[in-house]
Structures are given as C-alpha cells and as structure tokens.
Amino acid sequence: MHYKKFIERGIAEVVGVIIAFAIISLAIIFTITNIYSTIMYSQPITSISSGYFGEKLILYPIETSLNVKNIGSVTTYVSYIVAIDMDMDKIVIDARRNTLCNTSPSRIVLPGDIIAITCRVGYIPIAVITESGRVFSIDPQLYASIVERVNWIPMITLFGGMNITTTSELLKYLENRLLVVDGAIKTSTELTLYRNVSGEVNAELTASLIIIGNNPVNNKLNIMIIGRGTEESSINVAGESIDISRVGLHRYRLKIENFTGIITISGIQPQPGIYPCYIDNGRTCRVELDGQADKVLLYTNTTSRREGIVGLDPYIFIGDLNNNGNTEMVFVTQDFSIGSKTSKNDIISSVDLLDANVVPMRIVFSENGIDSSKYSTAILTIRMFFWDNSEDDISDNDNRVIMRVGLYDDTTKSFVYSTYLSYYELCRYRHVKPFSVSYITKDFIMYIPNTGRTYYVAIEILDPYYLDASGNLNRNDADLIIGLEYIGIVLGGR
C-alpha cells in the first residue's frame, strides 16, 4: 500500500515538473518575443557598423533632413525609416509606400553616395532599415540630443563654398603663418621666390603639371604651372622679360591668382581641373598665357642643385576644380615623374625632386569654437581627393600618417582628441597612371572631453616621404597631391 502511494506521488511529481517546465518555457518564449518587440519598436535603435554583406551607412542630420551616406562596398536599399513623432513615440515607416517621409533622390544608395530623408512636420527621422534587415541610426549622443530638444542640430561648414579663394585667405587658418614663407618643406632642389608682381602675363612654357581652378567670387582663374625652363620657353610678367631657361633650368613653379585672358594647353583652351602631362605621357605640355593677373608668383631653381627648406606657398593651390561653387585647397609636392620600389619617384634628367614636410601643415578653424560643457560628441565630415606617384604603393612606401584631424586646444597648441588617415588607406582611392583621383567623403566621430574649455577643429596635412631611413633611395620617396573641398561638423549636446 505504501509502495503504491509512493509510485502515485512520484508520478504526480513528474507530471508537475513537466507542467512547470512547460509554463517556464512558454514564459521564456513570451519574454524573448516581448524583448525583441521592445527592441524593434520601443527602444532607441543602435547602429550596426560591421559591414554585413558590405553594407555600412553613416547617418547625420542637416537642418530638417537626415543624410544617409553609403561608406560601404555595396549598393544599399532603404526599405524602412524609423522616426519619432511629437509624443516621442517611434514609428516604422515603409519607405516604398508611405508618404510620411521621402527619400531623395531615391531610396537606393550607391557606394560613396548620399541620400536625404525628409519627413512631414511633426516627424523626425532617426534611423533606417535596409532591404537586408540591417539597422543604422544616428550616433546615440545625437539621438539623445534630438529627443531632449526635439530639433535638428545643423551641420556647421568649416571649410567650403567661397570662404577661401586665394592663398592669402588661407593664412587666417594656419596655426603658424610663417610656414608660408619658410621652414615647412624640405627639398632636394631648392625653390626660391624669383618674382612677386601683378599685371600683364605673357608666356609660352614647358609644363609637366598644370592645375586650373575658378574663383567663384569673381569668375577669374587661379593657375599653378609646374615644369622646367627650356630654350623654347619664354615668360614676360609686368613688362619684364625673364629668361626661364636660365632661372628655371631644373624646375619652376608659377602661381597666378585672379587671371583674366587666354590660356591654352597644347593649343586647346582647358576647363578647370588637373592636367597631368608628364605623369600620363612622359612628355611635357606646351602652355600659353596672355592676360592680366592680380598676383603672379614665380618660384625657380637656377643651375644650383642644392638641398634646402622652403615655405608652403609654392606647394599650395586654391581654386574650384570642378565648377561646383566650392573652392578646393590643394597641397601638391609632385613635379614630374612617377616611380616604383625599384626606381626613384619624381626625377627628370637625373635631377631628383624630393619634397617632404619638415612639420605638418596645421589648419585651425578658429572661427567656430566648441564649448565642451555643452557638447559631448561630434561627427566631422571631410570631402577630399588623394593621389601619389608610386606604382608599387604599399611595397614602395611605409604606412605613414598623411592626414590628422581632431579637437584642438588653442592654449596648449595641441590636439586633445584626434584620429588620422594613413597612406595605406588613402592610396586605395587613386590610380597612378593614367592619372586618376576620386573624390571621397570621410566621416569621423569625435568625443569631446567635458572640461568646460572651448576647442576647435584642426586638420594636419603631411607629405612624410623623402628618403628611406635605411638609405634605399628607391623607397619612401613618394610625392602627393591632396585636395580638400569641404569640411563640416555636426555637434551632439550633453
């Protein structure tokens, strides 16, 4: 009898365990389902930065729109938009059918492209869901600021448009203005300023590299011509005839600002852009000039082939290269030839033309201070292009820092937070021969220390290549062309 009761009690306990396990399992399933639902529809959506199927988007607000930048390697389709309404509730909007929010020019984002999302009044877009199911949102700090203030933080333009149209206007941003005239660039074939005048310009020159840009303020041209003097060359500036075959025997750099008149390259009137004569063909171009200019600076090298340290000015060009209303600032150490790991870069007629920074060119945007007590994070956007003359790139040059950006303390004259772009990163965006550069947009998230001090955005540009430390003259001798077109920043409040 006792044995029978023991069996019955055991069976009852087993049944109870099974029922309890079933209840617990259902509870777990319900909890997981509820958590998933909560994550999808009730909690702030977080970015997935790992490139699932090559997808990688960066979202940032500009005025009343949300910009979506594709920095991945595949075309991305935006299927849904996540927005907050006036009650701070999140809603998911079908981008293909719902008209509460619109994508412009379309919901398709090609690699490197940007689309803008604009919603009706009362709805603020904060995230997107792609066709593959990936979720990308704006930075959490920016999201928190939006929720707190229910308005967009506008993107501040630091460099862009027409705020710099000549080299002299760049001076107000240089940390050390003296570097324009001395102490900036180490060169194996020293350049000296031969003439600084204004007025009439008539020339027939042998050129290896020409850069032409429009000044959108007055629709005049800014020009940089690089080459060497030959017997067939002539130049007359402000009524003075200069024997360029003598003073520019090894090389010259001619900078002309606010030019009006006729310019031809090999008999053809050029549009603004970069003309890489010697890079592409191993031959020089014939450049003819006839007109007036506000400033003409001629840097030359005579028969003396000596090493020296010179200023930044002959290496800086300012002008709109693509007629879009934004002037580019171009830093160029390239003169003539390309090279490889077994041959020297930038050499002509057995003359080495090595140029490299002694110190970085540091540009500080001191007109826009950032109050660290009000802002905790920032997204810095840079639109630029890069080119170098090494056909063997990473086997010819070590991976050195080319560009550095960050928060600058004007009191200590140093960065409090910075990040950088290296050679191995940038050399992917160009083709050496034939000459080709691609405009790229880079976004950097910067965290602002809460010190109560005012900081500024600063950028450093550097050509770190001169000679290999081991004495191998064929390595680490690259020459660069770097162009900056736009720099902007979005701030996130504390």
Side-chain angles (χ1 to χ4, degrees):
M1 187 62 129
H2 292 292
Y3 180 75
K4 182 178 179 182
K5 289 182 178 180
F6 178 78
I7 294 296
E8 290 173 351
R9 186 172 62 185
I11 292 173
E13 290 178 355
V14 169
V15 172
V17 168
I18 293 172
I19 293 172
F21 180 78
I23 292 172
I24 292 171
S25 299
L26 289 172
I28 291 173
I29 292 171
F30 176 81
T31 301
I32 292 173
T33 303
N34 188 58
I35 289 173
Y36 179 78
S37 176
T38 302
I39 290 173
M40 286 300 294
Y41 299 104
S42 301
Q43 298 298 320
I45 298 175
T46 58
S47 298
I48 298 176
S49 58
S50 59
Y52 182 73
F53 293 124
E55 285 188 340
K56 191 173 183 182
L57 304 178
I58 286 181
L59 282 63
Y60 55 92
I62 293 185
E63 297 180 352
T64 58
S65 298
L66 181 66
N67 274 15
V68 180
K69 166 75 175 179
N70 187 347
I71 62 171
S73 58
V74 298
T75 298
T76 297
Y77 298 83
V78 174
S79 295
Y80 297 94
I81 299 164
V82 182
I84 53 175
D85 59 20
M86 297 300 292
D87 297 322
M88 295 296 106
D89 293 327
K90 281 174 285 298
I91 60 171
V92 179
I93 299 165
D94 191 333
R96 297 161 294 185
R97 286 181 281 272
N98 200 308
T99 58
L100 282 177
C101 296
N102 294 314
T103 57
S104 178
S106 71
R107 65 183 187 90
I108 304 170
V109 199
L110 300 175
D113 281 359
I114 299 173
I115 66 168
I117 298 175
T118 305
C119 297
R120 293 183 184 177
V121 176
Y123 297 92
I124 300 174
I126 60 171
V128 298
I129 303 172
T130 68
E131 195 172 73
S132 64
R134 301 297 87 192
V135 181
F136 297 89
S137 77
I138 61 176
D139 180 84
Q141 294 287 350
L142 292 175
Y143 170 78
S145 178
I146 290 168
V147 171
E148 178 183 350
R149 289 183 265 175
V150 201
N151 59 18
W152 287 118
I153 306 165
M155 175 167 275
I156 301 167
T157 297
L158 304 176
F159 174 78
M162 299 178 288
N163 60 344
I164 299 176
T165 59
T166 62
T167 304
S168 59
E169 291 175 353
L170 182 66
L171 287 175
K172 63 184 177 181
Y173 295 108
L174 287 178
E175 181 194 57
N176 184 355
R177 298 179 183 181
L178 296 177
L179 292 179
V180 171
V181 294
D182 195 18
I185 305 293
K186 183 179 181 180
T187 175
S188 61
T189 306
E190 187 177 11
L191 283 166
T192 56
L193 180 59
Y194 188 80
R195 287 292 182 269
N196 180 359
V197 296
S198 62
E200 188 177 5
V201 185
N202 300 104
E204 294 184 16
L205 298 169
T206 299
S208 58
L209 180 65
I210 306 109
I211 305 176
I212 303 173
N214 186 48
N215 182 341
V217 171
N218 52 30
N219 206 31
K220 296 181 180 181
L221 294 179
N222 292 344
I223 303 167
M224 176 182 278
I225 303 174
I226 299 171
R228 64 195 300 250
T230 64
E231 293 294 336
E232 297 80 25
S233 302
S234 65
I235 181 169
N236 186 297
V237 293
E240 179 189 5
S241 180
I242 299 171
D243 187 355
I244 192 70
S245 66
R246 181 182 63 83
V247 299
L249 175 64
H250 295 308
R251 66 160 161 172
Y252 69 84
R253 287 187 174 221
L254 177 65
K255 286 183 63 174
I256 303 173
E257 293 186 339
N258 291 327
F259 174 83
T260 55
I262 302 296
I263 178 173
T264 62
I265 300 176
S266 300
I268 299 172
Q269 284 191 269
Q271 294 296 315
I274 300 177
Y275 295 85
C277 305
Y278 204 86
I279 295 168
D280 282 353
N281 303 314
R283 299 189 303 272
T284 55
C285 290
R286 191 73 172 169
V287 181
E288 297 185 13
L289 292 162
D290 184 9
Q292 298 280 332
D294 291 350
K295 181 177 285 190
V296 180
L297 299 106
L298 178 62
Y299 291 87
T300 63
N301 182 275
T302 62
T303 54
S304 174
R305 291 172 52 186
R306 62 182 181 182
E307 187 176 74
I309 296 176
V310 301
L312 285 168
D313 189 61
Y315 298 89
I316 295 175
F317 172 85
I318 306 290
D320 181 4
L321 299 177
N322 48 16
N323 280 329
N324 66 353
N326 290 306
T327 54
E328 282 90 344
M329 192 285 291
V330 183
F331 176 65
V332 50
T333 56
Q334 169 71 16
D335 289 273
F336 287 94
S337 68
I338 61 177
S340 67
K341 63 183 178 182
T342 58
S343 63
K344 291 182 180 180
N345 296 30
D346 219 354
I347 183 173
I348 186 169
S349 300
S350 302
V351 178
D352 295 335
L353 298 165
L354 302 173
D355 301 292
N357 287 75
V358 177
V359 293
M361 178 174 64
R362 182 179 288 179
I363 302 170
V364 181
F365 298 99
S366 54
E367 295 179 344
N368 299 94
I370 301 171
D371 187 343
S372 63
S373 65
K374 294 182 179 180
Y375 302 103
S376 62
T377 190
I379 298 177
L380 182 68
T381 298
I382 298 178
R383 178 171 162 81
M384 60 173 290
F385 64 80
F386 174 85
W387 182 87
D388 74 280
N389 64 358
S390 292
E391 287 190 298
D392 292 331
D393 42 63
I394 64 175
S395 58
D396 187 23
N397 300 290
D398 296 334
N399 193 26
R400 298 175 181 173
V401 173
I402 303 297
M403 185 180 295
R404 186 182 180 199
V405 297
L407 295 175
Y408 175 82
D409 188 329
D410 189 50
T411 303
T412 62
K413 306 297 182 184
S414 62
F415 285 100
V416 296
Y417 181 93
S418 68
T419 184
Y420 64 87
L421 292 172
S422 69
Y423 176 73
Y424 284 9
E425 165 71 12
L426 289 172
C427 71
R428 299 184 300 145
Y429 302 112
R430 57 84 176 112
H431 192 271
V432 176
K433 182 180 179 180
F435 178 91
S436 175
V437 295
S438 298
Y439 282 84
I440 58 174
T441 300
K442 289 290 183 180
D443 298 277
F444 306 89
I445 295 179
M446 300 189 298
Y447 298 95
I448 305 169
N450 189 6
T451 63
R453 304 183 68 170
T454 297
Y455 298 117
Y456 304 91
V457 172
I459 181 169
E460 286 184 349
I461 297 175
L462 176 68
D463 180 345
Y465 299 109
Y466 192 74
L467 287 175
D468 192 77
S470 66
N472 183 347
L473 299 181
N474 296 326
R475 290 197 73 253
N476 288 318
D477 60 344
D479 298 275
L480 315 178
I481 302 176
I482 301 170
L484 295 179
E485 185 183 58
Y486 176 83
I487 301 174
I489 191 170
V490 175
L491 298 172
R494 291 197 181 277

